[in-house]
Amino acid sequence: MRILATNDDGIMAPGLVAMRRALAGLGDLTVVAPTTPQSAVGHSISLTEPVLCHRMDLGDGASGFGIEGSPADCVKLAFLELMPDRPDLVVSGLNLGANVGINVLYSGTVAAAVEGAFYGVPSVAVSLEDSDAVDFDGAARLARRLVEQFLAARPGPGALVNINIPALSPGPPKGVKVVPQSMKGWREKWDARRDPRGRTYYWITGDPEVEDEGAETDVSALAARYVTVTPLRWDLTDHARLGAVRAWDFRL
Ligand code: MN
């Protein structure tokens, strides 16, 4: 089996190093990942800039392709140029920081997995909740088990799941839950500061909103220390409203 491993934290990020170690033996691993951190670039691609590709020694006997581009660029380049035989599985991560709620839309980690699904290949995004003592290897071993179960379920062409692992420092997760993506975002604010030339600049900051009622979601289940699995799709159409919007009777 051929596996494409990518991420948005960068090709040398410890989450990807741990994921490579954990996936060893599951298949032939090709690493194609950004040379610089690309978190929160979403599904952007490079149109007005060239995309440089560097064959890189990853320092532990492995090599990979470092891409000066976005996670979606990495997957496109892998499928169309770098991998002579298309992969059977795309694994994006392990990301440092959860990708739940509306973060899913900002996430480069998730975008890389969506891109793999665009090509009809089963794809998995994996993220680990941030904490003071981050256990990348422990989380990557958990992720490997879940990836194997995903494959054993014969997920079908373009099947896409978003996996989030709670911080492991308080102990092992309570279990695994398949839950929908929360619609919750962040309590955001802009931190306004002054630069040495007296100009005001802004830095986005905030805290995640935690569910307080309603159905269980990726946000609430992760907060309750469950590993979450969320099947995703990229058809953003609001199918339930198609009829109502047709009834608005737009005309020229
Ligand atoms: Mn990231």
Side-chain angles (χ1 to χ4, degrees):
M1 185 174 64
R2 289 177 297 274
I3 304 170
L4 168 60
T6 189
N7 74 346
D8 77 356
D9 292 339
I11 192 163
M12 302 305 281
L16 179 53
V17 173
M19 205 64 228
R20 287 197 287 111
R21 272 201 288 263
L23 290 174
L26 190 61
D28 293 330
L29 210 60
T30 302
V31 180
V32 184
T35 52
T36 56
Q38 297 287 315
S39 292
V41 303
H43 214 122
S44 67
I45 56 170
S46 299
L47 279 184
T48 58
E49 299 284 332
V51 175
L52 293 175
C53 172
H54 310 276
R55 187 90 213 192
M56 287 176 64
D57 178 353
L58 301 181
D60 52 5
S63 65
F65 297 96
I67 305 301
E68 296 187 31
S70 70
D73 285 331
C74 292
V75 175
K76 276 189 201 303
L77 205 55
F79 270 83
L80 301 177
E81 288 288 331
L82 302 176
M83 297 183 75
D85 298 304
R86 65 202 267 119
D88 305 297
L89 172 71
V90 175
V91 177
S92 181
L94 157 68
N95 185 64
L96 174 56
N99 279 308
V100 289
I102 66 165
N103 273 14
V104 169
L105 293 172
Y106 301 121
S107 169
T109 304
V110 172
V114 172
E115 192 69 33
F118 282 173
Y119 288 98
V121 169
S123 299
V124 182
V126 193
S127 305
L128 170 63
E129 186 183 26
D130 202 358
S131 63
D132 290 336
V134 179
D135 181 1
F136 288 108
D137 283 316
R141 282 193 296 272
L142 273 179
R144 151 103 187 220
R145 262 177 252 148
L146 294 166
V147 165
E148 286 185 89
Q149 291 163 43
F150 172 72
L151 291 171
R154 306 173 65 82
L160 171 63
V161 292
N162 182 31
I163 297 175
N164 281 275
I165 299 172
L168 300 179
S169 37
K174 290 185 185 163
V176 184
K177 287 195 170 179
V178 177
V179 282
Q181 179 192 332
S182 167
M183 299 288 279
K184 287 273 171 115
W186 287 63
R187 279 187 298 269
E188 290 173 324
K189 54 181 188 287
W190 288 100
D191 195 343
R193 304 181 185 187
R194 195 61 64 92
D195 81 1
R197 293 180 185 170
R199 298 173 300 190
T200 303
Y201 66 96
Y202 297 89
W203 210 308
I204 191 88
T205 179
D207 302 298
E209 291 182 35
V210 176
E211 303 287 290
D212 47 3
E213 54 186 21
E216 191 162 52
T217 65
D218 54 359
V219 170
S220 61
L222 189 72
R225 309 204 53 260
Y226 286 89
V227 173
T228 64
V229 178
T230 302
L232 298 180
R233 61 178 188 182
W234 57 88
D235 174 1
L236 299 183
T237 311
D238 187 348
H239 286 275
R241 298 185 67 219
L242 268 179
V245 174
R246 283 191 183 119
W248 292 354
D249 205 18
F250 288 106
R251 61 186 67 207
L252 298 180

